[in-house]
Amino acid sequence: MNRDTRTLFGLVAVVLTMGALAWAAVPFYNWFCRVTGFAGTTQVSTQAPDEVLEEVVRVRFDANVDGDLGWTFRPMQTKMDVRIGENAMAFYEAVNNTDETITGTASYNVAPDVAGYYFSKIQCFCFTEQTLEPGERVEMPVNFYVDPEMVDDADASWVRDITLSYTFHRTEPKQAALDAEPASNVN
């Protein structure tokens, strides 16, 4: 194999490696954020812990909408004092202000970022798409707790004020997206 052929194979290998890394970057980043709580990414749990501390955390609620959504979205309470480890429930309200059916998906995080690893959701409207008919108004719950292990973490033990923030984005309904895919021609 001559030098030019080796160089060509080397360049092709570099391009393929870079393409594979780019393809894997988004799922890897999402996994990393879920595992570590990086960037305020919250955790998902099936139930609250058995231990409830006397220490209290104030949870503030924030709501935003993408400009092209056409919804009003707001927390039904602006803040809530919750004992660390306590199972709590808050509600958000969404109203479709348009004359069309719209599907949205909520992205979320908490601040300060270090609290993300200890803020766990048991049930949340953000886990699924939300489809609202024209003029429809819905109340959507989020069931959560703050993990008692937070008080033993030197980096997070000082946190007693957490902001839970959601932003709704317009999305195509999953079924509509599936229906829109062209059928493959099998012969």
Side-chain angles (χ1 to χ4, degrees):
M1 191 182 313
N2 69 26
R3 182 177 169 188
D4 291 340
T5 305
R6 282 194 311 265
T7 301
L8 178 63
F9 280 127
L11 290 173
V12 168
V14 167
V15 168
L16 290 175
T17 301
M18 295 301 287
L21 290 173
W23 175 80
V26 170
F28 178 75
Y29 180 77
N30 288 338
W31 169 82
F32 176 79
C33 290
R34 279 193 318 271
V35 169
T36 64
F38 182 75
T41 302
T42 63
Q43 306 302 302
V44 176
S45 181
T46 56
Q47 65 183 33
D50 294 329
E51 180 183 20
V52 177
L53 306 179
E54 290 302 317
E55 294 182 58
V56 173
V57 170
R58 174 162 287 164
V59 179
R60 298 177 191 280
F61 302 95
D62 179 51
N64 305 282
V65 290
D66 206 3
D68 67 341
L69 187 62
W71 288 5
T72 302
F73 176 57
R74 69 177 186 89
M76 297 186 72
Q77 62 288 299
T78 57
K79 61 187 171 204
M80 177 185 292
D81 289 340
V82 179
R83 293 186 343 199
I84 295 176
E86 176 182 17
N87 186 3
M89 184 175 285
F91 288 88
Y92 281 76
E93 176 188 64
V95 179
N96 181 348
N97 300 312
T98 71
D99 58 357
E100 62 180 307
T101 300
I102 297 177
T103 299
T105 304
S107 59
Y108 52 87
N109 70 342
V110 295
D113 291 351
V114 70
Y117 185 73
Y118 300 102
F119 194 96
S120 293
K121 295 180 195 171
I122 298 169
Q123 175 191 4
C124 184
F125 59 87
C126 61
F127 294 161
T128 59
E129 295 177 334
Q130 303 298 319
T131 301
L132 275 64
E133 299 294 325
E136 184 178 4
R137 176 192 168 279
V138 294
E139 292 181 9
M140 300 176 292
V142 56
N143 188 327
F144 66 93
Y145 67 90
V146 177
D147 194 316
E149 291 182 10
M150 183 175 78
V151 299
D152 297 326
D153 182 337
D155 293 329
S157 62
W158 58 270
V159 174
R160 292 300 178 269
D161 201 349
I162 298 173
T163 301
L164 174 60
S165 182
Y166 290 97
T167 301
F168 255 105
H169 306 273
R170 186 181 203 130
T171 56
E172 286 297 318
K174 284 192 180 11
Q175 188 59 47
L178 291 174
D179 292 343
E181 288 181 9
S184 61
N185 190 3
V186 178
N187 290 328

